[in-house]
Amino acid sequence: MGEILQPRQAPGSCCAPGRAASGTSETAGTAAAPASGEAPAAARSEAARGEAAWSEAESGRMVRLPGGSFLMGTDEAAGFPDDGEGPVREVWVDPFEIDAYAVSNRRFAAFVEDTGYVTDAERFGWSYVYAGFVTAEHRKRSRRPADTPWWCGVPGATWREPEGPGSGIDDRWDHPVVHVSWADAAAFCEWAGGGLRLPTEAEWEYAARGGLSQARYPWGDELTPGGEHRCNIWQGRFPFKNTGEDGYLGTAPVDAFEPNGFGLYNVAGNVWEWCADWFSPDWHVTGPRRNPAGPPRGEARVIRGGSYMCHESYCNRYRVAARSRNTPDSSGGNMGFRCARSLTPATR
């Protein structure tokens, strides 16, 4: 069944620190939040090309899923019991649609251009970036979480400038948008209309499993079957050296690697994805089994899928049953989302 992994203690939101971890809920540097969400001229011109010129990965496509019952969670030793990955339980989800791809930079640019939306990262004036991507100047100006010092709270890091001022996305329009909070993702869904919303955690796992029952990954139980990399995660010595054997050091295009059995791309690794649910390590133990939507309140929202920052030696949360959390205003260079939509009897 693949590599043998031992039980472990959860290191918390190691791959996606929250804003409070920086020691402040305001700015981590001196950069001021912009007065408006107006995109730079290059971003405006790219977004204005029109969807006819976009690739499918850039513009997005939804996959219709029949729903039904599936076995959610895991009890295997590879997991983090303190995260509430178990127990394995039979859960039912109604039919729904979900994005085949995470929302791309191009889709998000169109949203910002249309609305002037200002993200939480822009409003706070900073967001988390992996230290290895940050210039020496920005590292000096950035606060770091004590438990995860490989993250820098970089002043001016936003979805448009993912590594801080001077960086850009001109060659990453088909990459997942990052530095978006839960609130930003929910605002995008509301703007997109058509009943779009963030997926529930149960919907996300059902879709990510791709029709496989209790497999460790969306494609099976081997991380690299036949030596083939199937997802964008860390290779090498974490957090010091990423060898990039899977072809990427940071984000990959939203259509990188083969899709799972349902046609979803990158539901393991690449970027964490926000879910609608509030996080609880135990609410689901006695919670409803039909269309569970999480507890009615909480302090953090569920994130799923892991990211390019995940490595087995520290955090193997790229497994399909793995779960983590972050506060709704938090953001970082490895956090994105995809949208879902309920299907009514008339649209099924």
Side-chain angles (χ1 to χ4, degrees):
M1 187 178 170
E3 68 269 34
I4 303 299
L5 303 176
Q6 300 302 314
R8 60 190 70 206
Q9 296 298 312
S13 294
C14 57
C15 287
R19 291 202 178 275
S22 71
T24 175
S25 61
E26 297 301 324
T27 60
T30 58
S36 74
E38 184 178 1
R44 292 199 303 272
S45 62
E46 282 291 339
R49 284 172 54 200
E51 291 195 22
W54 298 4
S55 69
E56 180 183 271
E58 291 172 332
S59 60
R61 170 175 59 83
M62 301 200 84
V63 175
R64 181 168 294 196
L65 299 178
S69 63
F70 75 106
L71 295 179
M72 185 172 179
T74 186
D75 295 319
E76 69 168 337
F80 292 102
D82 290 346
D83 284 351
E85 292 184 13
V88 175
R89 64 265 184 206
E90 186 173 1
V91 167
W92 174 280
V93 293
D94 286 342
F96 66 101
E97 289 183 318
I98 190 167
D99 278 337
Y101 315 101
V103 172
S104 68
N105 280 315
R106 196 179 300 282
R107 286 179 73 189
F108 200 80
F111 159 56
V112 171
E113 181 185 16
D114 188 50
T115 63
Y117 184 82
V118 177
T119 64
D120 276 333
E122 292 168 303
R123 185 169 58 83
F124 282 107
W126 65 278
S127 189
Y128 282 113
V129 182
Y130 169 56
F133 298 158
V134 177
T135 65
E137 178 184 354
H138 286 149
R139 282 197 297 270
K140 291 177 183 178
R141 299 172 57 205
S142 302
R143 297 183 181 181
R144 303 197 191 192
D147 294 337
T148 54
W150 50 87
W151 286 107
C152 294
V154 176
T158 70
W159 70 272
R160 297 188 188 100
E161 298 180 296
E163 289 76 54
S167 63
I169 56 173
D170 285 347
D171 60 347
R172 287 182 265 181
W173 289 107
D174 62 346
H175 284 227
V177 65
V178 293
H179 295 294
V180 285
S181 68
W182 185 94
D184 300 333
F188 175 93
C189 292
E190 182 177 1
W191 165 80
L196 289 189
R197 54 175 173 76
L198 291 174
T200 66
E201 184 178 17
E203 289 173 334
W204 192 97
E205 184 170 327
Y206 171 89
R209 288 191 174 278
L212 300 180
S213 180
Q214 286 295 288
R216 183 176 291 173
Y217 308 112
W219 54 85
D221 292 320
E222 297 285 344
L223 179 58
T224 54
E228 178 186 359
H229 290 284
R230 297 291 186 90
C231 62
N232 178 20
I233 56 175
W234 188 287
Q235 292 91 42
R237 184 186 175 203
F238 182 83
F240 306 104
K241 175 65 175 179
N242 185 352
T243 61
E245 294 170 21
D246 57 24
Y248 305 96
L249 297 177
T251 58
V254 296
D255 60 349
F257 306 101
E258 292 296 314
N260 72 1
F262 286 157
L264 274 69
Y265 291 78
N266 289 309
V267 282
N270 213 19
V271 294
W272 284 100
E273 298 182 7
W274 290 107
C275 291
D277 309 40
W278 289 108
F279 178 89
S280 168
D282 54 17
W283 178 87
H284 58 277
V285 175
T286 57
R289 294 289 187 263
R290 190 176 185 91
N291 297 315
R297 63 189 63 86
E299 297 181 353
R301 297 284 185 174
V302 173
I303 53 176
R304 284 296 206 117
S307 81
Y308 61 84
M309 289 292 293
C310 288
H311 187 265
E312 190 279 325
S313 67
Y314 191 80
C315 169
N316 67 347
R317 290 189 177 95
Y318 44 82
R319 295 169 295 103
V320 74
R323 60 199 304 258
S324 195
R325 71 277 186 192
N326 216 329
T327 57
D329 62 352
S330 292
S331 63
N334 66 338
M335 297 185 66
F337 68 102
R338 72 181 69 210
C339 306
R341 174 166 49 207
S342 302
L343 290 177
T344 67
T347 59
R348 292 176 188 173

